[in-house]
């Protein structure tokens, strides 16, 4: 028997060439797409953040200064800007309580800041917020007068709570509490806006304060030069006058 012979026709040869051309073109097109993607990624990696949007209700913060510092420190490459690093920078700034940072495609850094709400000056150097938390900020930048609270470390919340109760009681009778002191022995003393000091001791603090309010009308005739009222006695009070630096017990 004769072996079968395969005959390549012109049509088969044409189909083979077309297929080979298609395959080569597909490979070339794929390589082109890969190159374009790489160029796009490279371009995007060098795409700068051109603006910072800063949001929040600001009373103490210098918004223009903060935005300028953000521009100087972090405006640049979109992909390389670390939002955690920006947030850490913000938390180190005075008056910042909380912050949130995110990128907004293609060229924007969005920053949301919650400002500290100071309610008192603590130990003459720091500030307390409404939760009794200590924070550092320039006291001279305060845009409103605040009470001055003093006490050992760790007693911030106690001092703030006691001030609130004292102020509520005294305000009803037209007194203004300006300073509250808690000593190392946990004794209370307060100072009114006119400079008069009240020694209240460790126990029955608000009852002693109420006793001062009740006795004050009878003391007004001797008010001139009165510097301190000691309410730590079970009966009566002791008054110290600044001029003579002597005490009178009534």
């Amino acid at each position: 028997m004769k072996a079968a012979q395969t005959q390549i026709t012109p049509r088969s040869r044409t189909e083979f060439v077309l297929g080979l051309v298609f395959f080569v073109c597909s490979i070339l097109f794929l390589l082109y797409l890969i190159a374009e993607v790489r160029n796009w990624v490279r371009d995007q990696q060098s795409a700068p953040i051109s603006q910072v949007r800063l949001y929040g209700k600001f009373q103490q913060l210098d918004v223009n200064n903060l935005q300028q510092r953000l521009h100087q420190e972090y405006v640049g490459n979109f992909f390389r800007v670390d939002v955690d690093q920006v947030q850490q920078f913000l938390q180190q700034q005075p008056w910042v309580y909380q912050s949130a940072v995110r990128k907004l495609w293609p060229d924007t850094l969005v920053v949301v800041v919650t400002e500290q709400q100071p309610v008192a000056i603590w130990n003459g150097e720091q500030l307390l917020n409404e939760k009794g938390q200590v924070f550092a900020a320039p006291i001279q930048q305060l845009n409103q007068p605040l009470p001055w609270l003093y006490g050992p470390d760790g007693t911030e919340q106690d001092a703030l709570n006691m001030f609130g109760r004292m102020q509520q009681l005294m305000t009803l009778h037209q007194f203004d509490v300006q300073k509250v002191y808690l000593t190392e022995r946990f004794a209370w003393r307060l100072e009114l806006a006119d400079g008069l000091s009240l020694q209240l001791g460790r126990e029955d603090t608000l009852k002693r304060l109420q006793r001062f309010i009740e006795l004050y009308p009878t003391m007004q005739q001797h008010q001139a030069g009165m510097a301190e009222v000691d309410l730590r006695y079970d009966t009566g009070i002791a008054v110290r006058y600044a001029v003579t630096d002597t005490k009178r017990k009534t």
Side-chain angles (χ1 to χ4, degrees):
M1 295 181 62
K2 293 183 178 180
Q5 295 183 353
T6 303
Q7 185 177 4
I8 301 177
T9 64
R11 180 177 178 181
S12 300
R13 187 179 295 110
T14 302
E15 291 176 350
F16 173 78
V17 171
L18 290 175
L20 182 60
V21 171
F22 177 79
F23 175 77
V24 171
C25 290
S26 298
I27 295 297
L28 292 175
F29 182 70
L30 181 60
L31 292 175
Y32 169 78
L33 288 179
I34 293 174
E36 287 296 311
V37 169
R38 290 181 62 184
N39 291 335
W40 180 85
V41 171
R42 186 175 60 252
D43 291 341
Q44 297 308 312
Q45 286 179 342
S46 61
I49 288 179
S50 61
Q51 61 177 323
V52 176
R53 295 182 186 175
L54 185 59
Y55 298 96
K57 296 180 179 179
F58 304 114
Q59 295 181 340
Q60 302 290 163
L61 272 169
D62 186 337
V63 180
N64 293 331
N65 180 62
L66 181 58
Q67 193 155 23
Q68 183 178 3
R69 291 194 63 186
L70 286 169
H71 271 280
Q72 292 173 348
E73 296 286 341
Y74 298 106
V75 166
N77 183 279
F78 187 91
F79 289 97
R80 293 176 186 170
V81 171
D82 187 343
V83 294
D84 291 333
Q85 189 177 18
V86 179
Q87 195 163 5
Q88 184 178 4
F89 164 79
L90 289 167
Q91 292 301 135
Q92 294 172 350
Q93 304 308 305
W95 305 113
V96 173
Y97 178 60
Q98 289 180 331
S99 61
V101 182
R102 67 183 180 90
K103 300 174 187 177
L104 183 63
W105 181 261
D107 62 352
T108 303
L109 190 67
V110 178
V111 177
V112 180
V113 172
T114 303
E115 201 178 68
Q116 288 277 14
Q117 299 297 318
V119 296
I121 299 169
W122 178 247
N123 285 335
E125 297 179 348
Q126 297 175 300
L127 294 163
L128 289 181
N129 62 23
E130 55 191 359
K131 296 183 179 180
Q133 298 169 334
V134 179
F135 68 96
I139 296 175
Q140 64 272 17
Q141 292 182 5
L142 289 170
N143 54 23
Q144 60 181 348
L146 294 177
W148 295 67
L149 307 184
Y150 298 84
D153 292 341
T155 62
E156 297 88 356
Q157 189 65 62
D158 293 333
L160 188 60
N161 291 340
M162 180 59 77
F163 166 77
R165 285 182 281 178
M166 288 179 175
Q167 179 74 330
Q168 185 178 16
L169 178 61
M170 298 295 278
T171 301
L172 291 174
H173 300 278
Q174 309 303 313
F175 294 102
D176 185 14
V177 179
Q178 189 173 63
K179 297 180 181 180
V180 173
Y181 299 83
L182 178 61
T183 70
E184 295 288 342
R185 300 183 63 184
F186 294 94
W188 294 96
R189 178 169 68 88
L190 66 83
E191 185 176 309
L192 301 180
D194 61 3
L196 181 61
S197 178
L198 306 181
Q199 293 282 1
L200 299 169
R202 299 172 60 181
E203 300 176 354
D204 299 326
T205 306
L206 295 180
K207 288 183 180 180
R208 291 171 177 174
L209 199 57
Q210 181 64 45
R211 177 147 49 96
F212 166 78
I213 293 171
E214 294 170 355
L215 291 174
Y216 186 76
T218 64
M219 299 163 57
Q220 285 185 300
Q221 57 183 333
H222 306 291
Q223 184 178 0
M226 193 163 56
E228 181 182 271
V229 178
D230 193 338
L231 295 144
R232 293 173 293 180
Y233 299 93
D234 293 333
T235 58
I237 61 174
V239 180
R240 181 174 64 84
Y241 289 86
V243 177
T244 61
D245 197 29
T246 58
K247 277 190 177 182
R248 299 180 187 176
K249 187 174 180 181
T250 60

